[in-house]
Amino acid sequence: MKNIAVIGAGTMGNGIAHTFAQFGYNVQLIDISQAALDRGLATITKNLDRMVAKEKITEDDKNNTLNNITTYTSIEEGVQYASLVVEAATENVDLKLKVFKDLDEVCPEETILATNTSSISITQIAAATNRPEKVIGMHFMNPVPIMKLVEIIRGYNTADDVMDFTVDLTKKINKVPVEVNDYPGFVANRILMPMINESIETLYNGVAGVAEIDTVMKLGMAHPMGPLQLADFIGLDVCLSILNVMYYGFKNPKYAPCPLLVNMVTAGKLGVKSGEGFYDYSESRKAEKVAKMFS
């Protein structure tokens, strides 16, 4: 097991590629866009430079990590020698089903297919392939090189040896695997997203302002980041997508996304990545200035 392909060079994909490469694995980073691959490599380089500056790794470690990553714009070329493929594409059911159908057709028969989905059914994704026993969830946390947790999600047909292999591999990259079963939102987002949604409802109902809600949760509950700031960091579109998966998956109104969240996503106010969400990021990526509509 030395060749690992990663599908998607965005925030999660480049973080996953960085982590495996740093631990000596040959990583094939795949995206349909060369520009996205270039941005992903630039992010990896910047993050490695930061680690060198903090003396967590050496310059040689940085260079070895970068040398372990090869980029491809063709899935078929990128996965031809992969023992494991980790899909980290956009959190969209139809897209993921298509990616896994394509992977099943071009990957070697023995290749394990993992998805970094944060909420979508592993069983549903596996059903798009002819190897459901080799499909598993590996939900990394953002930022991947720093966060220790990886949720390992067993689909309905996931084989025991695939689960054992994935857990062992996760430990080898110095992460902590936690095994969970396949239900919408798994554990992390089943608990986190309703809290974020309730925080947005609290703002929507005029109970308190953005900074006040976040301050209560940071100082009162010892959260390192307030829920509205965290929503901005995750991406409000991603939060909405996960809530919708749980809402439709459980048919329970307690998971229904707040109308304010829906409106903000419709208006393109997605958080850090769009420059504005609950906070204004036009001058800083830190949540220091509440967005104009909430101030």
Side-chain angles (χ1 to χ4, degrees), residues 105-230:
E105 292 174 355
V106 299
C107 285
E109 191 175 309
E110 67 277 7
T111 303
I112 294 171
L113 306 180
T115 174
N116 182 58
T117 181
S118 56
S119 61
I120 298 168
S121 168
I122 307 304
T123 303
Q124 182 182 8
I125 291 172
T129 76
N130 292 309
R131 61 181 90 191
E133 73 285 353
K134 285 185 164 58
V135 178
I136 195 164
M138 291 184 78
H139 179 208
F140 290 83
M141 303 293 131
N142 185 27
V144 179
I146 296 171
M147 300 291 279
K148 289 288 189 181
L149 175 66
V150 181
E151 279 188 306
I152 309 295
I153 307 104
R154 179 195 290 271
Y156 191 85
N157 292 301
T158 304
D160 289 342
D161 62 334
V162 171
M163 172 62 81
D164 293 342
F165 166 83
T166 307
V167 167
D168 183 59
L169 177 64
T170 302
K171 292 176 181 177
K172 287 179 178 176
I173 58 173
N174 200 26
K175 301 296 185 189
V176 178
V178 175
E179 299 179 40
V180 305
N181 290 317
D182 187 22
Y183 292 95
F186 315 132
V187 171
N189 281 319
R190 183 168 180 172
I191 295 170
L192 174 64
M193 286 302 154
M195 183 192 74
I196 286 176
N197 197 44
E198 193 61 31
S199 302
I200 300 171
E201 287 278 3
T202 302
L203 175 66
Y204 180 58
N205 291 327
V207 178
V210 170
E212 289 76 13
I213 291 168
D214 278 354
T215 298
V216 167
M217 297 305 291
K218 285 189 288 185
L219 300 185
M221 314 305 167
H223 290 194
M225 187 182 294
L228 300 176
Q229 179 187 359
L230 180 56

Side-chain angles (χ1 to χ4, degrees), residues 233-251:
F233 179 72
I234 294 169
L236 301 191
D237 53 336
V238 176
C239 293
L240 178 59
S241 175
I242 295 169
L243 282 165
N244 279 330
V245 167
M246 294 195 294
Y247 180 46
Y248 293 119
F250 289 115
K251 303 295 190 293

Side-chain angles (χ1 to χ4, degrees), residues 60-80:
D60 282 345
D61 293 331
K62 168 196 163 182
N63 292 331
N64 289 337
T65 298
L66 291 172
N67 288 336
N68 285 338
I69 302 173
T70 308
T71 61
Y72 294 86
T73 53
S74 163
I75 286 183
E76 187 170 3
E77 291 179 13
V79 303
Q80 60 182 325

